[in-house]
Amino acid sequence: MIVKNITSPNGSIAVSFGFKDNGIPYYFISHKGIAVITPSSFGFQFKNQPEMKKEFSLISSEIFTHQENWEMPWGEQRMVHSHYNELQLHLQETSELKRKLNITFRVFDDGLGFRFTFPKENNTAQLIIVDELTEFKIADDHNCCWQPGDWDSYEHLYDQTKFSEIDAIARRDHPNLLSSVIPENAVNTPITMKTAQGLYLSFHEAAIYDYPGMTLRIHPEDLKMSSALVASHLNNWKAKVSLPFDTPWRTIQIAERAGDLIESNLILNLNEPNKLGDTSYFKPMKYIGIWWEMHIGKSTWDIEGSQDMSTFIDGEKKASEHGATTENALRYIDFAAQHGIKGLLVEGWNTGWDQWINTNDREGVFDFMTPYPDYDFDKVMDYAKEKGVEMMMHHETSAAPRTYEKQMDVAYDFMKKHGMNQVKTGYVGAMIPEGEYHHGQWMVKHYQHVLNEAAKKKIAVNAHEPIKDSGKRRTYPNAISREGLRGQEFNAWAHDGGNPPDHLPKIAFTRMLGGPIDFTPGVFNIKFNEYKTSNQVNTTLAHQLALYVVIYSPIQMVCDLPEHYMKDGEIHPAFQFIKDVGVDWEASKVLDGEIGNFVVIARQERDTKNWFVGCITDENSRELTIDFGFLTEQKVYTAIIYKDAEDAHWDDNPEAYTIEKITVDSNTSVAIKVASGGGFAISLLAP
Ligand code: NOJ
Ligand code: CA
């Protein structure tokens, strides 16, 4: 029996709520009359109480509508429009316990979110949740782009299969991950689907603060997913919450065009407005780093010259020189200053790396204050200041968050004393204490604690090995970027050959729907055979350029070694694109794309009003026609097109590219060929 309906503002999405026999609450969703979610129920299991999933009745309900425009301090666009209809349902059990539960649906034109609220009851201040029983029944055996539901990591490749063929268990075997737990056939979110009618759906969550991350358990025969919260093995429950309590929003994006998934602001709009006020201490920027050299094995994090990435992956010592030396840092600063790159990240500057991941006891290893003796911290800071380069801090916690919590206060003061406004955090390895996981409630709270403490000191955070992005940057704009995917680093050392050419054309329609990605693009020396012959980047150089536009982040690394950006004593001609490309956008438009195949995105820079276009493709070469209709009418732009050479190929000839200069206006369209694993990047300089 349906008791309430609500539609999106334009009427295209309809949500119905009702009760089955025995007071079991359920909901279903349609888009333009076609079923998206078929009747699905929900409920909760508790530690010291009977489960809650039936014998409910509706006490009252309200409908609201909300419309606003809000401004992003930095982002994919400056102004965001939010418009939704909201249905609030107040339920109560008719059985003896008479417990209350509220459910709220917020329905936008591009999807919806719903969440549960446990109101404050007189007799309980706290609930201990054993699991959440939210169901999502889909209407057909859709094509899915998914990765396994891992409690510790999102650093997996995505698979594209029918829903009924999802098999996360078969993906347990991955030699490249230092921590990973895939307990059942479940997927991480976002999981993105395409229906036979050509509709796109993506399932994720918004505003995770004090609750475990949600994986989605796959029930292939029933075409059903159900919430499987990440656990802690130190407890036999998954979440302990104080009342009143709101769960995160369970989100479903619905789009008629693949690109609309990327343009959607649903996840952000389900988060609360900015709570930090002015965060202008953070400025979007490009940065270089003493970083890639440790990943490819040119140098090491520790001073003994024994810990590069091969040490961790193969237990084999390769490089023998410390990367973070004063001299090397000055060299990077010179490069940044000369070529217009604003920031520098130095990893391996502080003591502790010698006993990093190879020891079992990682508590107390790092102090985030003591430089290695060959790194003259003050000298580097002074030189950077003189050259106008902003230094970025690195805090690798080695998944020992209790140590980090003890030290972060002084560590952040130390940063601020030296004028540092940004920290890259890291949580490599299995969590200490054993039994906690990166995506469980305990760590979710830790990651938020870091944001809170950093915000107090005016510090912006770029977290690696993070909790998934759930759009909290709207509320906490110091959450600037994060990893949470198989980054560029895998190309340096992964045993499976690194990220295949279709990796990022999948990421754009899955992981990127959550928010900014510190992917670290920009490899020019694609094969780096001088250091390693068994690994390479599996894209062309033009594809690497395009990533500055395609993969959104307000901080973008220019990740290759300074010497790899030089050609015959001069800066590489294609570096001009990296110099020119924006990092902070007025507007973003997805011109074309298909999940896992290719994507073309245009973004307009806030300050200059210049436009940039990026296109990446999978292993298939293709010809794409770019319609410049997004440009302001009547204006003529100079377009510099950086594209794959005729004979370019990600494996056979990855560095072959050409640069072409033409003039275009809003009536122009241009056909461009992209190579296998290739792409193109265009800068459109405003008149
Ligand atoms: C993993 C991070 O993703 C990477 O960027 C970093 O270099 C290493 N951990 C060391 O902290
Ligand atoms: Ca990582």
Side-chain angles (χ1 to χ4, degrees), residues 155 464-465 483 489:
E155 300 188 10
H464 279 228
E465 298 78 39
E483 193 187 38
E489 59 185 22

Side-chain angles (χ1 to χ4, degrees), residues 40-80:
S40 300
S41 59
F42 48 82
F44 287 89
Q45 289 170 330
F46 304 104
K47 180 146 181 256
N48 300 319
Q49 296 184 21
E51 90 178 2
M52 183 189 236
K53 78 184 277 202
K54 57 177 198 255
E55 294 171 355
F56 272 113
S57 71
L58 184 67
I59 304 301
S60 62
S61 70
E62 287 117 54
I63 285 185
F64 303 96
T65 160
H66 177 87
Q67 199 168 174
E68 72 177 311
N69 289 311
W70 58 276
E71 187 170 348
M72 300 183 80
W74 46 266
E76 299 94 320
Q77 61 269 307
R78 199 162 59 79
M79 296 309 298
V80 176

Side-chain angles (χ1 to χ4, degrees), residues 548-560:
Y548 288 90
V549 185
V550 170
I551 300 300
Y552 171 67
S553 174
I555 48 164
Q556 286 283 28
M557 196 178 213
V558 180
C559 84
D560 212 338

Side-chain angles (χ1 to χ4, degrees), residues 400-415:
R402 292 180 302 199
T403 293
Y404 193 44
E405 290 192 10
K406 277 190 209 135
Q407 297 178 348
M408 62 207 241
D409 191 44
V410 272
Y412 293 163
D413 284 343
F414 177 79
M415 281 177 62

Side-chain angles (χ1 to χ4, degrees), residues 404-606:
Y404 193 44
E405 290 192 10
K406 277 190 209 135
Q407 297 178 348
M408 62 207 241
D409 191 44
V410 272
Y412 293 163
D413 284 343
F414 177 79
M415 281 177 62
K416 286 313 274 201
K417 189 176 118 199
H418 290 97
M420 298 172 107
N421 302 314
Q422 277 189 54
V423 62
K424 168 177 171 179
T425 57
Y427 297 85
V428 170
M431 198 52 66
I432 304 179
E434 198 184 328
E436 293 293 359
Y437 301 97
H438 284 75
H439 310 155
Q441 185 189 28
W442 189 75
M443 276 308 289
V444 165
K445 286 189 192 183
H446 169 79
Y447 293 116
Q448 182 57 38
H449 181 60
V450 169
L451 285 179
N452 292 341
E453 295 306 303
K456 284 184 200 155
K457 312 250 157 132
K458 300 196 188 309
I459 288 171
V461 181
N462 164 23
H464 279 228
E465 298 78 39
I467 183 64
K468 67 177 86 169
D469 197 330
S470 61
K472 280 164 34 171
R473 64 187 157 128
R474 179 176 181 191
T475 318
Y476 290 86
N478 70 327
I480 50 173
S481 196
R482 77 189 67 208
E483 193 187 38
L485 86 166
R486 262 176 78 118
Q488 183 89 280
E489 59 185 22
F490 277 74
N491 293 322
W493 40 254
H495 287 171
D496 57 11
N499 301 330
D502 67 358
H503 182 53
L504 291 160
K506 288 173 176 166
I507 289 291
F509 297 100
T510 50
R511 159 68 181 86
M512 200 168 81
L513 306 181
I517 305 179
D518 190 35
F519 177 75
T520 63
V523 175
F524 273 26
N525 188 323
I526 301 283
K527 301 241 179 193
F528 49 89
N529 281 337
E530 192 186 334
Y531 302 104
K532 268 191 155 187
T533 47
S534 50
N535 279 92
Q536 68 169 76
V537 170
N538 303 312
T539 76
T540 67
L541 187 148
H543 180 122
Q544 289 291 311
L545 292 179
L547 296 177
Y548 288 90
V549 185
V550 170
I551 300 300
Y552 171 67
S553 174
I555 48 164
Q556 286 283 28
M557 196 178 213
V558 180
C559 84
D560 212 338
L561 313 180
E563 60 269 31
H564 287 171
Y565 291 126
M566 306 302 288
K567 221 182 170 178
D568 313 321
E570 306 267 322
I571 188 80
H572 193 297
F575 196 83
Q576 188 62 39
F577 181 79
I578 296 184
K579 243 179 168 165
D580 291 339
V581 69
V583 277
D584 195 22
W585 310 108
E586 180 69 28
S588 289
K589 291 186 175 163
V590 183
L591 304 182
D592 204 353
E594 194 53 70
I595 307 168
N597 296 354
F598 72 102
V599 60
V600 192
I601 302 186
R603 303 195 196 265
Q604 183 179 35
E605 192 179 18
R606 283 196 192 183

Side-chain angles (χ1 to χ4, degrees), residues 291 295 301 347 353 356 394 396 424 428 464-465 483 489:
W291 178 79
H295 286 274
W301 277 281
E347 295 197 358
W353 289 87
W356 182 34
H394 185 228
E396 172 55 65
K424 168 177 171 179
V428 170
H464 279 228
E465 298 78 39
E483 193 187 38
E489 59 185 22

